[in-house]
Amino acid sequence: MLLSFDSSAVTASAALTDGDRVIKSEFINAGLTHSETLLPMIKRVMEGYSFDELEAIAVTSGPGSFTGVRIGVATAKGLAFNADISCVGISTLEAIAHNFENGIVCAVMDARRMQFYNALFSVKDGNVTRMCDDRAISIEELKSELSKYDEVIIAGDGARLCYENIGLENVVLADEDKLYQNAVGVSKAAENKERIPAERLIPVYLRLSQAERELKLKKGE
């Protein structure tokens, strides 16, 4: 069994799975209050089961909200240390791609100032193939890249903003039930990933935080 969860953006979710079978899952879209909601959600999906029964804990380790990613990774590390089980760090963008069965998926998360955390994936019969590394990209650069495809599905917490401003007829917005990353997608992405000790699990940030960027500007760096 695998416990998976996500708190990398405005939504949060948790799931307990056994292979392809979803035993329990929860999803909420209540803003960035994950310090209050994530652990109770995990306790509910684990109700009736022991952490000793888990093969591993999978969590989105970024990109996303700096605070949200930190909360998710810290929670995973704490639970894993306590139960002496392995962890799996999953790209938030890859988790998004696992919402789909077929198509070119452009996973986007709002990085502010019309930039996006992004990666492209080719999905065929539910099998996800990464087409590029996770990156921070401007909407102008993304528009140029997406224009070469017949159809692209945009999904993620930055999908609506991207869709409304990219100005491409070949781009479609994902349906509401597939728009956001969720813990079931995290579990699917974790199937063939390396299990690592909790101490090796780290957040993945694609750029400095706003406070760090402002400090560098003040220092003239």
Side-chain angles (χ1 to χ4, degrees):
M1 289 194 299
L2 189 69
L3 171 64
S4 305
F5 50 89
D6 164 75
S7 61
S8 60
V10 294
T11 62
S13 56
L16 181 65
T17 57
D18 187 357
D20 293 333
R21 183 169 70 98
V22 179
I23 299 170
K24 292 182 183 179
S25 67
E26 286 196 17
F27 175 93
I28 59 171
N29 188 357
L32 293 170
T33 57
H34 306 321
S35 59
E36 301 172 2
T37 60
L38 186 59
L39 271 175
M41 189 184 304
I42 290 170
K43 289 178 181 179
R44 288 192 295 272
V45 300
M46 285 294 296
E47 188 174 358
Y49 296 88
S50 166
F51 280 88
D52 293 335
E53 299 176 74
L54 296 177
E55 176 190 349
I57 294 173
V59 62
T60 45
S61 54
S65 153
F66 283 78
T67 301
V69 169
R70 283 196 296 268
I71 289 171
V73 169
T75 299
K77 288 169 75 76
L79 293 173
F81 274 129
N82 189 55
D84 192 25
I85 54 178
S86 300
C87 293
V88 188
I90 298 299
S91 159
T92 312
L93 300 168
E94 185 175 347
I96 293 168
H98 278 275
N99 289 347
F100 301 90
E101 287 296 315
N102 291 285
I104 302 296
V105 177
C106 175
V108 289
M109 302 184 73
D110 186 7
R112 310 302 179 192
R113 299 180 180 178
M114 295 310 291
Q115 288 193 330
F116 298 90
Y117 300 127
N118 164 257
L120 300 179
F121 302 88
S122 174
V123 187
K124 294 182 180 179
D125 298 325
N127 296 310
V128 174
T129 301
R130 178 180 285 275
M131 300 171 66
C132 67
D133 292 336
D134 292 356
R135 59 198 176 173
I137 191 171
S138 70
I139 195 167
E140 291 83 6
E141 292 174 296
L142 189 57
K143 180 176 181 178
S144 176
E145 191 166 338
L146 298 187
S147 63
K148 68 180 80 170
Y149 299 104
D150 291 333
E151 183 177 275
V152 179
I153 304 167
I154 291 188
D157 82 327
R160 285 195 178 89
L161 178 64
C162 185
Y163 176 76
E164 291 168 358
N165 288 276
I166 203 164
L168 290 174
E169 293 184 358
N170 64 323
V171 167
V172 297
L173 184 65
D175 293 338
E176 183 69 27
D177 63 337
K178 297 181 178 181
L179 193 60
Y180 297 104
Q181 64 273 20
N182 63 76
V184 174
V186 176
S187 70
K188 291 178 181 178
E191 285 181 6
N192 298 311
K193 294 291 193 301
E194 178 188 9
R195 273 58 172 154
I196 61 174
E199 60 266 22
R200 287 178 52 197
L201 181 67
I202 59 172
V204 177
Y205 302 128
L206 296 183
R207 68 180 193 185
L208 298 174
S209 68
Q210 183 176 347
E212 289 171 317
R213 293 197 302 271
E214 290 176 354
L215 181 60
K216 286 176 70 72
L217 284 173
K218 288 180 180 179
K219 292 181 176 180
E221 296 179 6

